[in-house]
Amino acid sequence: MRTEDVLAAIATGLWRWDNASGIVSLDAEAARLLGLPAEPVRLTEAAVRSRFHPVDWNEIDGVVNLAVAEGTLAEARLRIMDERGRVIRTVRSRSKPLVEGGDYQLVGTLQEVADPQPGAAGPHTPITGDWRRSREAFLLDAGRALAEARSTAEVLRVAASLSMPGFSPDGLAVFGVSGDRLTVIGHHGQRDGDEGPFTSMSLATDYPAAEVVRTGRAIYLPSPEEYRRRFPMTWPLAERFQRQSWAFVPLVVAGRTMGAWMAAFKHQVAFTPDERSVLTTVARMLAQALARAGVAESERELSLGLQRTMMPVLGPGIPGIQVAARYVPTGGGLQVGGDWYDMIRLPGGRRGGAGRIALVIGDVQGHDVRAAALMGQLRIALRAYASEGHRPDAVLSRASRFLYGVNDGYGADGDGPGGGPRFATCLYLEVDLETGTVDIARAGHPDPAVRMVDGTVLLRPTAGGLPLGIDADTDYPTTRLTLDPGETLMICTDGLLETGGHDLDSGWERVRRLLEAHRGDDLEELADTLVEAVHGPGSHHTTGPLADRREDDIAVLLLSRRPATTVRETPRRTLMTIAQAEPERIAEAREQVRQLLHDWTDEDQLDAAVLMVSEMVTNVLVHTDGDALLTAEVACGEKSRRLRVEVSDASDELPHKRHPGEMASSGRGLVLMEMLADAWGVEPRGEGKTIWFELREPAGPEGCCG
């Protein structure tokens, strides 16, 4: 005989609930117990749910979650309802969760029982065995839901959705205290406006919630007669809601009664010790959740005020340029940190001309109030030094000395107030809006990037010094680049690059792809795209609650020169200096050429160009006492693109071609250029010389430059 037949003989049905697919399989007896035709059937979770009393469904959901967490049986009593919403029978469900990965299946039995489920029509009579099990599951779910609530409104929504095992209230209200008055923080189960008589009620009023706040003791009113007897003055206010039982429980945090919670019932509740225990526990969790939400909301309000104070308004448009910026603080603690950006009008511009501006971006170590305070001080100091007319290197040197002095009050071991000394990274750019020249000084900060007119994106390596505040006498060399019309400059803090498990290199590749994929000249849209790629839609807004998953503050600043009328003919160009003391930057020069030729069709020519650049720069560093200046440009010809690379130095000694032996370690530079370049040469130029080569890309199917 089959197992199903044996179970059917004793009026026991078999069911299987697949949580992943949401499909419930019933044998014939289980289907009959649910009021369906007595035949095997597979139903959706919603179809099965419609057969259970709504209160009971919430209970079994909590019981199952508890059983999954503990690896035990899930047991519950369920009222089965017909199409008209009438209870036709009560069944006992016993099932075992089978967990696979993050999903589970319930395999169990259904059996009809004679005694009714708590909460049915008539006096409330809890069944202690299963009810206690349901209570544990309910409290587990309630605690988790309230702990995750982040605002007062969210706490109230969670409280309204709680379905207590066997005696769910149909009306809830949360009362607070303002001075000597009772206030209504929120309510559920009543119409808007019904709270009017209870708002701003004196604590001396003969009302249950007011007495609870005064005494700190709960009040349970199991019947209208009891309410009328104990609180005759305010009974008329409650009578119109036509409820049968009320519980008023204090909301206590750290020994202080901060308000009261009312749970009202349409059926009579005896308020047994078990039921009072549940209500008291929920009130305690509710009070803690409201306290946390209040603190979080105060912190958000403070952080938004700090953000608005510390973040500059970029101000009215400056002729010839477009600027956009975003600041997104970390989600931890106060939503403020040490990242900042600024744009400063510099003195000395010609009357009627665009003049000069400074762009600043930086990151003070830490994500706390002290980091934000230091950021504010440093920002003001940088503005002052820039407004005095100092060059970029002098501005950063003075700023570093300033922060070093501020740090004097903090011991190296962190024995000063707020911990040890803090440092800050910073990138300071002086932009001539007439010529497009950009002078850059860098203090331990990520390099800037430039998006060219045709969409090519280059990370611009710049010389730099130590972060600000580490050494009072640090020097900051200046690097110059030119921003052509139509090009966009991006500077950012490391939060944009390193969030999401990325390091600086992989994070930069992610940002580079976003910059290259952007179409159009709307910098506001581009700024949103960069931030949303890291944190999701909506995270660029600096005036609202922010997600806790943020790992670091983000600041990003974009500047674009208005494009010229002949945008497509603008050549693609890069320029960088390789100092004698920095031979490791030869690798950066090779990478610059690779990025410049990212869409070059001939891979062999690309490898040849990188090899020749390496030879030319190395030759300068080995055979002269000066630095090497690398200039590379891709321009459109009549039929194909042309790459021209120049390496200049201050030495007058011209290179000459040698014939190295097979085992020689040098002397191949000019030989390689003669073999690989379409054209090359050496030109004396004032004090020094320039060696150059050219490569012409074979014409593609779409013609020159696509």
Side-chain angles (χ1 to χ4, degrees):
M1 183 177 290
R2 297 183 310 157
T3 303
E4 292 86 344
D5 297 332
V6 174
L7 293 174
I10 57 174
T12 301
L14 190 65
W15 70 331
R16 177 185 292 268
W17 175 12
D18 188 332
N19 182 58
S21 65
I23 298 298
V24 181
S25 302
L26 307 169
D27 70 359
E29 180 63 17
R32 184 192 69 80
L33 291 172
L34 264 62
L36 301 169
E39 57 186 28
V41 65
R42 298 177 78 243
L43 301 174
T44 64
E45 181 180 303
V48 174
R49 179 174 183 170
S50 68
R51 292 283 166 174
F52 296 151
H53 191 285
V55 171
D56 299 347
W57 175 265
N58 290 331
E59 290 181 25
I60 193 173
D61 191 48
V63 169
V64 168
N65 287 334
L66 186 64
V68 169
E70 297 180 350
T72 56
L73 287 176
E75 299 186 41
R77 291 174 184 257
L78 305 167
R79 284 168 291 177
I80 308 303
M81 306 179 68
D82 62 13
E83 290 80 358
R84 297 182 182 180
R86 298 175 302 182
V87 176
I88 58 175
R89 65 173 56 90
T90 301
V91 299
R92 180 194 298 272
S93 167
R94 302 187 70 195
S95 54
K96 174 70 174 179
L98 305 177
V99 181
E100 296 179 5
D103 299 316
Y104 62 83
Q105 291 189 358
L106 284 179
V107 179
T109 60
L110 292 176
Q111 190 173 38
E112 187 170 1
V113 294
D115 45 351
Q117 172 74 4
H124 175 67
T125 54
I127 301 172
T128 56
D130 287 343
W131 187 82
R132 285 197 177 94
R133 181 71 174 174
S134 298
R135 180 189 65 183
E136 294 172 4
F138 161 74
L139 292 176
L140 177 69
D141 284 345
R144 181 169 57 244
L146 288 170
E148 293 172 354
R150 291 290 180 266
S151 66
T152 299
E154 192 173 344
V155 171
L156 295 175
R157 282 196 300 271
V158 171
S161 68
L162 297 178
S163 180
M164 299 182 200
F167 67 115
S168 291
D170 80 297
L172 301 171
V174 176
F175 298 92
V177 179
S178 177
D180 62 350
R181 316 294 292 182
L182 199 66
T183 62
V184 178
I185 297 174
H187 64 93
H188 174 73
Q190 295 79 224
R191 295 188 304 270
D192 289 340
D194 283 348
E195 74 278 9
F198 307 95
T199 301
S200 195
M201 179 183 286
S202 170
L203 288 178
T205 304
D206 185 31
Y207 180 64
E211 182 173 320
V212 166
V213 172
R214 293 196 307 267
T215 64
R217 293 192 297 271
I219 294 175
Y220 298 98
L221 305 171
S223 67
E225 292 75 20
E226 181 69 9
Y227 198 128
R228 186 185 305 111
R229 183 186 66 82
R230 293 188 58 180
F231 301 96
M233 296 295 296
T234 52
W235 163 246
L237 296 177
E239 183 179 13
R240 62 192 177 96
F241 295 106
Q242 298 182 346
R243 299 215 171 92
Q244 301 299 309
S245 299
W246 299 260
F248 292 85
V249 189
L251 298 174
V252 180
V253 176
R256 182 179 66 86
T257 301
M258 58 177 289
W261 175 48
M262 181 200 77
F265 304 82
K266 281 190 175 179
H267 58 273
Q268 287 198 352
V269 179
F271 297 121
T272 65
D274 277 335
E275 292 163 347
R276 295 188 183 200
S277 174
V278 169
L279 290 167
T280 301
T281 303
V282 171
R284 185 164 56 247
M285 294 188 296
L286 182 60
Q288 292 169 349
L290 287 170
R292 285 194 301 270
V295 171
E297 287 167 350
S298 296
E299 289 179 347
R300 278 196 292 270
E301 187 175 347
L302 173 59
S303 70
L304 293 176
L306 284 171
Q307 289 174 36
R308 283 189 285 266
T309 301
M310 295 177 177
M311 288 298 107
V313 177
L314 296 182
I318 300 175
I321 67 167
Q322 183 183 2
V323 183
R326 295 291 182 271
Y327 171 64
V328 183
T330 181
L334 277 177
Q335 294 172 345
V336 293
D339 289 23
W340 87 96
Y341 64 84
D342 208 348
M343 185 177 78
I344 307 166
R345 298 281 188 109
L346 297 177
R350 294 192 298 273
R351 183 180 299 275
R356 297 178 303 134
I357 62 170
L359 300 180
V360 190
I361 197 164
D363 181 1
V364 176
Q365 176 191 10
H367 306 290
D368 52 18
V369 173
R370 186 180 164 220
L374 284 175
M375 176 267 283
Q377 292 176 279
L378 190 56
R379 175 173 165 252
I380 292 171
L382 280 160
R383 270 188 163 268
Y385 300 142
S387 299
E388 289 174 356
H390 297 293
R391 298 292 296 167
D393 54 342
V395 170
L396 287 195
S397 293
R398 284 167 167 77
S400 184
R401 191 173 298 113
F402 167 81
L403 186 56
Y404 186 85
V406 172
N407 279 330
D408 274 349
Y410 299 88
D413 298 327
D415 54 353
R422 304 280 182 98
F423 63 84
T425 66
C426 185
L427 195 63
Y428 182 92
L429 299 84
E430 182 179 301
V431 184
D432 188 317
L433 300 176
E434 297 284 349
T435 64
T437 58
V438 183
D439 292 323
I440 305 170
R442 184 170 63 88
H445 200 83
D447 286 308
V450 173
R451 183 181 186 274
M452 298 180 174
V453 177
D454 65 355
T456 298
V457 178
L458 295 182
L459 188 67
R460 296 288 196 175
T462 56
L466 293 172
L468 306 179
I470 293 179
D471 186 343
D473 299 316
T474 301
D475 292 327
Y476 295 96
T478 301
T479 302
R480 171 168 289 187
L481 61 86
T482 300
L483 192 67
D484 290 326
E487 293 185 338
T488 299
L489 176 76
M490 184 203 79
I491 56 178
C492 66
T493 55
D494 57 4
L496 184 68
L497 305 176
E498 294 184 317
T499 298
H502 288 272
D503 57 22
L504 284 175
D505 291 334
S506 64
W508 156 243
E509 285 302 313
R510 174 179 59 180
V511 170
R512 180 180 61 79
R513 288 192 295 270
L514 293 170
L515 291 170
E516 288 179 344
H518 181 73
R519 295 294 179 263
D521 56 359
D522 188 341
L523 288 197
E524 296 293 337
E525 179 183 342
L526 177 56
D528 290 346
T529 299
L530 292 172
V531 173
E532 288 175 2
V534 177
H535 289 313
S539 55
H540 58 276
H541 297 300
T542 62
T543 57
L546 300 166
D548 283 346
R549 63 190 178 91
R550 298 192 178 116
E551 303 165 33
D552 196 1
D553 300 343
I554 288 177
V556 59
L557 184 58
L558 301 168
L559 178 140
S560 178
R561 292 187 71 196
R562 299 295 183 186
T565 55
T566 56
V567 171
R568 291 173 59 86
E569 298 179 5
T570 302
R572 188 188 299 176
R573 181 185 299 111
T574 185
L575 181 148
M576 66 179 295
T577 300
I578 300 93
Q580 280 283 335
E582 299 176 312
E584 66 276 3
R585 298 197 70 200
I586 296 176
E588 295 179 3
R590 292 195 294 263
E591 183 60 26
Q592 281 283 287
V593 174
R594 284 196 178 277
Q595 292 183 20
L596 194 71
L597 303 179
H598 69 96
D599 56 354
W600 199 264
T601 58
D602 192 325
E603 288 289 336
D604 291 337
Q605 284 187 325
L606 172 59
D607 292 337
V610 171
L611 177 60
M612 287 188 285
V613 165
S614 184
E615 287 288 339
M616 293 162 66
V617 174
T618 301
N619 185 70
V620 171
L621 299 187
V622 170
H623 297 291
T624 73
D625 295 327
D627 301 336
L629 176 64
L630 169 70
T631 305
E633 178 181 283
V634 176
C636 291
E638 293 182 0
K639 296 182 179 179
S640 64
R641 291 188 297 183
R642 182 201 66 184
L643 167 69
R644 181 180 177 90
V645 177
E646 299 179 352
V647 176
S648 304
D649 65 80
S651 172
D652 293 329
E653 182 180 352
L654 300 180
H656 57 277
K657 186 168 64 176
R658 292 183 288 171
H659 300 281
E662 182 178 350
M663 302 301 291
S665 60
S666 63
R668 292 190 173 87
L670 299 186
V671 175
L672 284 173
M673 293 176 63
E674 190 172 72
M675 293 172 56
L676 300 176
D678 292 326
W680 69 278
V682 181
E683 300 176 358
R685 290 188 179 179
E687 293 184 0
K689 64 181 180 297
T690 295
I691 183 169
W692 59 270
F693 73 83
E694 291 183 355
L695 291 174
R696 292 178 179 83
E697 181 185 30
E702 299 181 1
C704 173
C705 303

